[in-house]
Amino acid sequence: MNIDVSIDAAGPIAPEICPVRPLLDRMADKWSLLVIARLAEASGNRLRFSKLMRAVGGVSQRMLTTTLRNLERDGLVTREVFAEVPPRVEYELTERGKSFLIPVRTLIGWLEANWPDIQRSRELYDQND
Amino acid sequence: MNIDVSIDAAGPIAPEICPVRPLLDRMADKWSLLVIARLAEASGNRLRFSKLMRAVGGVSQRMLTTTLRNLERDGLVTREVFAEVPPRVEYELTERGKSFLIPVRTLIGWLEANWPDIQRSRELYDQND
DNA sequence: CCGAATCCAACTTGATACTG
DNA sequence: CAGTATCAAGTTGGATTCGG
């Protein structure tokens, strides 16, 4: 997604909305949030690849790797490789990654409070037209 | 996205994460958040289609329509059609839609605080390997 | 065990043209 | 003005295979 909302000639963009897209791009993919959640639960906020994969459940190797690379790139997790046989790689939530959980939980709180109503709205909307 | 995280045989799913996906599916699309932001700014949290389209900027008729339908379905906006010539349709943020802005702003706050660091992390990551 | 590479299906979005 | 219809293009995610 490369929408440059900051140079919109048709009108000013809400400053507080504009920079949110990059974050959404990170959160919105299929696995990032689940991965962060799993790491947050783990002791030491740390899991090796295979454990993490089973903890997340349903994720392919490809997508887990991709997701972790992106999270690492953003400084939300660290990646540590151990020179062993068989190889072992551990991922750990950084402080930034942990602090990210706070706003996420706020959002989740809103969802939990509103999700039943939203579902009702959807049913109503779908059955009417 | 139809991942049923609640029946993961490999382990329990964090209850606070599980129901968040439907919300992400709404937030994560390209325009929903911008549309909500534009309506929140407008007087009476209300705009007609054409005004909204120019306010958002860069959105096609097709996507704006789709986005608004989805938001309406979730009870975040209302749609009012006026029997006039030329036709006029106005969209207004509901109370639910307005309350949604609160957690979103929390998230945005985190991003604003962390975005510079994240960008630095990315640059570092990209230039190394 | 971890993950890179390849191929492919599905979904999302955009451009364009047309209508009440 | 406010859509709808159709088609093209880009992006994402899953399956599979292979390598260190």
Side-chain angles (χ1 to χ4, degrees), chain A residues 3 8 10, chain B residues 30-31 53-60 63:
Chain A
I3 167 178
D8 170 26
Chain B
K30 202 165 175 176
W31 303 108
M53 184 159 159
R54 267 177 292 126
V56 170
V59 65
S60 64
M63 287 315 298

Side-chain angles (χ1 to χ4, degrees), chain B residues 38-54:
Chain B
R38 286 292 95 82
L39 287 174
E41 292 167 356
S43 67
N45 302 302
R46 195 177 177 84
L47 279 176
R48 66 185 295 177
F49 187 87
S50 52
K51 295 272 188 190
L52 185 52
M53 184 159 159
R54 267 177 292 126

Side-chain angles (χ1 to χ4, degrees), chain A residues 40-108:
Chain A
E41 292 168 356
S43 67
N45 302 302
R46 194 176 177 84
L47 279 176
R48 65 185 295 177
F49 186 88
S50 51
K51 296 271 190 190
L52 186 52
M53 183 158 160
R54 268 177 291 126
V56 170
V59 65
S60 63
Q61 271 190 338
R62 179 185 184 278
M63 286 317 298
L64 184 54
T65 300
T66 302
T67 301
L68 285 167
R69 288 292 179 283
N70 285 329
L71 294 176
E72 189 193 2
R73 192 171 99 102
D74 284 356
L76 298 176
V77 306
T78 55
R79 175 177 186 264
E80 188 174 3
V81 183
F82 295 85
E84 302 173 1
V85 181
R88 176 166 58 111
V89 181
E90 289 189 357
Y91 295 89
E92 182 177 341
L93 222 51
T94 63
E95 287 307 311
R96 191 185 300 165
K98 282 185 272 185
S99 77
F100 179 59
L101 287 169
I102 296 171
V104 167
R105 287 196 215 279
T106 304
L107 202 60
I108 291 170

Side-chain angles (χ1 to χ4, degrees), chain A residues 1-3 5 8 10-34 37-38 41 54-58 69-70 72-76 96-97 99-108 110-112 114-115 117-119 121-123 125-126, chain B residues 1-3 5 8 10-34 37-38 41 54-58 69-70 72-76 96-97 99-108 110-112 114-115 117-119 121-123 125-126:
Chain A
M1 303 189 191
N2 261 335
I3 167 178
V5 288
D8 170 26
I13 293 291
E16 75 274 18
I17 283 297
C18 166
V20 85
R21 178 143 314 279
L23 174 62
L24 284 182
D25 289 347
R26 167 70 42 254
M27 294 180 48
D29 64 36
K30 203 165 175 177
W31 303 109
S32 291
L33 229 82
L34 279 173
R38 286 291 95 83
E41 292 168 356
R54 268 177 291 126
V56 170
R69 288 292 179 283
N70 285 329
E72 189 193 2
R73 192 171 99 102
D74 284 356
L76 298 176
R96 191 185 300 165
S99 77
F100 179 59
L101 287 169
I102 296 171
V104 167
R105 287 196 215 279
T106 304
L107 202 60
I108 291 170
W110 185 91
L111 172 68
E112 289 181 334
N114 289 274
W115 185 235
D117 289 342
I118 291 178
Q119 282 182 309
S121 295
R122 288 186 181 181
E123 287 167 20
Y125 184 91
D126 291 343
Chain B
M1 303 190 191
N2 261 334
I3 167 180
V5 288
D8 171 26
I13 293 292
E16 74 275 17
I17 282 298
C18 166
V20 85
R21 178 145 313 280
L23 173 64
L24 283 183
D25 289 347
R26 169 68 41 252
M27 292 181 49
D29 64 36
K30 202 165 175 176
W31 303 108
S32 292
L33 228 80
L34 278 173
R38 286 292 95 82
E41 292 167 356
R54 267 177 292 126
V56 170
R69 289 291 180 283
N70 285 330
E72 189 194 0
R73 192 171 99 101
D74 284 357
L76 299 176
R96 190 185 301 165
S99 78
F100 179 59
L101 287 169
I102 296 171
V104 166
R105 287 195 216 278
T106 304
L107 203 59
I108 292 169
W110 184 89
L111 171 68
E112 289 180 334
N114 289 275
W115 186 235
D117 289 341
I118 291 177
Q119 282 182 309
S121 295
R122 288 187 180 180
E123 286 167 20
Y125 185 91
D126 291 344

